[in-house]
Structure formats: C-alpha cells, structure tokens
Amino acid sequence: MGGYRFPSCSGLREFSRQRSLVHDNTKIPEACEKSGLESLPGGNRSGRWERRTYKIVLSYHGGSFDGWQKQRGLNTVQGSIEKSLGEFVDEKKAKLLKDKSLPVEGCAVVAGRTDKGVTALGQVCSFYTWRKDVEPQHIELAVNTAAPRRLRAVSVSEVSRSFHPNFSAKWRRYLYIFPFNDGENGELSEGTRKNVDKICSKANSACRSKGFGNDIGNEDLQSFILSDEDDDYEAGNKQVSFEVSRVNQFLQLLEGKLLSYKMFARDTKASRNIGPPTECFLYHARASLARLKGADHQGGRNVMCIELVANRFLRKMVRVLVATSIREAAAGSEQDVLMKLMDSTCRRATAPPAPPDGLCLVDVGYTDFNPATCLIKKGS
C-alpha cells in the first residue's frame, strides 16, 4: 500500500475509548456462567471440570502481523499468542508436545480470523489449562510482553468451560476508515466546505461492462479496487464523484435481513457456497463522513467511516461489501443495487476486496446487540 499509514495511533485510541464507554464484553452471558463452574455442588471441581478456561480480549495492529492464523515462517497474531501461552501449558500436554518434537505452546481459539493488515481493538480468544496456579494477570503479562506496542491483552478473565469465543458470540462489529484528499496539503476545498457530504477526487476507473473499478483519492491506495487476482481491468484516468450519503443508503437496506452474501465472499470452499453457511444477519450497516485528527495532516483529514455489525461475516465479506458500495455509488446505481447483486451467479459482479489497512475489528458481543452502542448513529 505504498507509504500510506492507517491512522491507528490517534484514531484507534479514540475509537477504543468510545468502545469502552458504550460496550463492555469482558463477561459472558449468565446462562453460560451457570452451566459452568457455578453449577457444580459446593463449587468443587474434579475430572473434566478441573480444566480452567480463560477469555482473552486482544488489541493488535494489523500492519505488524501476517494475519491471525498461524502459518509456518510467518509472523502471525495466533503464533505470538500461543508462544506466550506456552508457559501455562500443563505437564501432561507439555510432555506430549515434547515427545512429538513440537514446541510447547498453548492453543488459542479465536472469535474470528482477521486477514493480513486488519487491525483489532476487541478480538476475543480463549485458552484452557489443567494447571491450578495460573491467574488472569499472569496470562495478561505474558501476552503483553510477546510483541510490545503491537499486541496487547485488553483483559483476561476466567470463564465457564462451556465458553467458546466463536460459537458463543452473538455479533461482531467492524469499522472501515477510508481517507480522502482535501485539496492540496490536506486543506479543505471550497466544494467540501459547501457540501461536506459530497466527495470529489481523481480516480482510476473502467467502463461498467468490465466491472467499473475505481481508486479514490490517494496515490498510496492505487490497488483499492484493482487488486483482485481474478479480475483484469483496463483503467483510465478521469474525474469521478460519489456521495457518502448514497453509500449509507445502499448499506441501510441490508439492515435487519437474513441474506446470503456468497457473492460478497472470497476464498471460500465450494461446500460453503450454498445454503445457511453463506447467510448473515446485519444488525447495523451505516456510512458517515468524519474528520479524523492526526499528526500527518494539520487540521485533520476527511474520512468515510463504515460500521458493520452482524451475527457473522464470510471471508473478506466486509472488504468486498465496502468496495462494491463505493463502486456503485460512483456509478450512480439504484438504491437497491446491493440487494440485486445478491442474486448474481458470478462473483465478478461484485468488486474485488478493498485494502485491509483501514479495516478494524472493533469488538465481539456475547449479549444481545444493543443499537445504542453504535458508533455511527441514526441520521449521522
């Protein structure tokens, strides 16, 4: 992505503070708690109930890692976490790993794997051990020393054995921050002052018959829509414009509906391309123009924020949905265009994924979704 720096330093801290005010997901539902340790007579634990499970809420910078999933030879979040948890593995498991000539590392189960470059403020994973001397603060210290300034344990708590960070989750929240140019040297243009909802910028675009790729505003984001290996666009330079309010209208039509998003997914197995595995329910889908303060631009910088909250997301679904919404807004499409694309038979009908740099997993919820916690409010 060239020299573009996602405004994580000041921007993520700001959103992190908002998140801590509106939503605290460090506890799991009461039903899960009752089905665990507290349901045992006298609180005693024996046999399989001796296993202690810990919920770890994580924050990490996506640009510092090669994604979540552990892969040989790559610097991944899961790899760093599991290595730090190695000191808490019980003796029996440690012996089994050593006998197989494997490193003594813990096993972290996650709420949802993030792609390379995607940042997280409230990712959730769990770890279990049969050791009785492990305390939450021990795990927090180990995680925080694994990759300082790049990975942090926001909180660690012991939870019921029945807790699963993925299957127990009721919703996930993503926030995509997309920067715009405001004239030269980051200054507001006259047109932006008069109508802050309308963004005009230079772009690369292709004719609509070939997919209409575009590249909004920043030379460091040249691969915004033209980066998909499966698509070969011939692009030319011309002026395009779109209204953030139009993107917002597209997304709002998806709220409160159970729909199949297979056309917006990428890299999924054929067995998961039909039926319920492709269905998602969006609780909240909004776009809004904001001004983000940062050291890179005096006076701040105009950004478009897209907030998506759903019970689940398919592989690269958020990035494809964002890219397609922008493409269709620039093309002047009808308001129900995203709904119509659901019925397509080829994924080339939707845009290639937007870059991961501006995407952030804000938090994961284990109680019913509360609209009052939304970052982009109704009417924004």
Side-chain angles (χ1 to χ4, degrees):
M1 304 312 298
Y4 172 60
R5 294 192 303 169
F6 173 53
S8 58
C9 295
S10 59
L12 286 181
R13 281 196 293 269
E14 179 180 347
F15 283 114
S16 182
R17 286 194 293 269
Q18 293 185 40
R19 174 185 165 274
S20 64
L21 292 174
V22 301
H23 180 65
D24 178 10
N25 69 348
T26 58
K27 295 183 180 180
I28 60 175
E30 183 179 356
C32 290
E33 293 287 357
K34 288 184 177 180
S35 65
L37 306 180
E38 290 77 1
S39 64
L40 298 174
N44 296 322
R45 295 185 289 193
S46 61
R48 67 189 183 95
W49 289 106
E50 287 189 281
R51 192 176 84 178
R52 303 178 69 177
T53 302
Y54 297 89
K55 174 187 176 185
I56 308 172
V57 181
L58 298 169
S59 173
Y60 52 83
H61 177 246
S64 301
F65 297 94
D66 295 309
W68 167 269
Q69 188 172 5
K70 187 176 181 180
Q71 300 177 65
R72 181 178 297 180
L74 295 181
N75 177 32
T76 65
V77 181
Q78 184 181 16
S80 298
I81 292 293
E82 293 190 343
K83 185 176 181 180
S84 70
L85 295 175
E87 62 180 287
F88 309 115
V89 172
D90 55 89
E91 294 182 4
K92 183 177 180 180
K93 183 175 181 179
K95 184 178 184 303
L96 289 174
L97 291 172
K98 289 179 179 178
D99 290 344
K100 295 180 180 180
S101 299
L102 297 174
V104 179
E105 298 178 345
C107 179
V109 180
V110 72
R113 292 175 293 182
T114 50
D115 296 332
K116 178 180 179 180
V118 176
T119 294
L121 291 177
Q123 174 70 279
V124 179
C125 69
S126 67
F127 162 74
Y128 69 82
T129 179
W130 272 267
R131 282 181 49 177
K132 298 180 180 180
D133 60 338
V134 178
E135 298 297 335
Q137 60 267 29
H138 300 155
I139 296 177
E140 183 174 346
L141 179 61
V143 172
N144 287 341
T145 55
R149 300 178 64 85
R150 296 176 294 157
L151 171 67
R152 184 171 71 90
V154 178
S155 66
V156 181
S157 57
E158 185 175 359
V159 293
S160 164
R161 184 182 181 275
S162 62
F163 173 76
H164 192 287
N166 187 1
F167 301 142
S168 300
K170 293 190 174 183
W171 51 265
R172 287 95 169 154
R173 185 202 316 269
Y174 279 94
L175 184 70
Y176 197 105
I177 301 177
F178 184 81
F180 295 105
N181 281 342
D182 277 332
E184 295 182 358
N185 300 320
E187 296 180 358
L188 280 173
S189 64
E190 184 66 21
T192 304
R193 294 191 188 99
K194 292 181 178 180
N195 185 7
V196 296
D197 198 34
K198 186 172 183 178
I199 306 299
C200 295
S201 58
K202 290 184 179 180
N204 290 327
S205 63
C207 63
R208 184 149 181 78
S209 63
K210 292 190 177 182
F212 196 84
N214 61 54
D215 186 14
I216 308 297
N218 192 318
E219 290 183 356
D220 295 323
L221 293 178
Q222 288 300 314
S223 59
F224 171 55
I225 286 184
L226 307 180
S227 61
D228 195 8
E229 295 178 353
D230 297 330
D231 295 85
D232 184 16
Y233 298 125
E234 296 178 2
N237 293 323
K238 67 178 182 179
Q239 288 289 119
V240 299
S241 66
F242 71 93
E243 295 184 358
V244 176
S245 60
R246 194 62 176 167
V247 175
N248 187 51
Q249 291 173 355
F250 292 162
L251 294 174
Q252 281 194 61
L253 287 183
L254 305 179
E255 290 184 348
K257 299 180 178 70
L258 182 65
L259 300 169
S260 172
Y261 285 85
K262 63 181 179 181
M263 288 299 110
F264 294 87
R266 294 293 187 272
D267 304 331
T268 53
K269 296 180 179 179
S271 59
R272 297 180 61 85
N273 285 343
I274 57 175
T278 68
E279 293 178 349
C280 305
F281 184 90
L282 261 64
Y283 293 98
H284 182 79
R286 300 293 171 95
S288 179
L289 186 68
R291 193 150 189 87
L292 199 62
K293 295 181 180 180
D296 295 348
H297 298 270
Q298 293 183 353
R301 185 176 189 178
N302 267 358
V303 298
M304 178 173 66
C305 296
I306 294 180
E307 181 183 12
L308 300 172
V309 184
N311 64 330
R312 62 196 292 266
F313 289 95
L314 306 181
R315 184 100 183 260
K316 297 185 180 179
M317 170 181 155
V318 174
R319 293 165 57 191
V320 174
L321 193 57
V322 167
T324 306
S325 299
I326 293 175
R327 185 192 73 182
E328 298 302 328
S333 300
E334 296 179 356
Q335 189 169 339
D336 61 348
V337 61
L338 297 182
M339 297 290 293
K340 291 179 178 178
L341 285 171
M342 301 280 182
D343 298 325
S344 301
T345 57
C346 177
R347 285 177 175 169
R348 289 175 63 89
T350 54
D357 306 68
L359 183 58
C360 177
L361 172 60
V362 179
D363 52 2
V364 182
Y366 296 91
T367 57
D368 291 339
F369 176 67
N370 181 3
T373 68
C374 294
L375 299 172
I376 301 178
K377 305 297 183 182
K378 184 177 181 180
S380 296

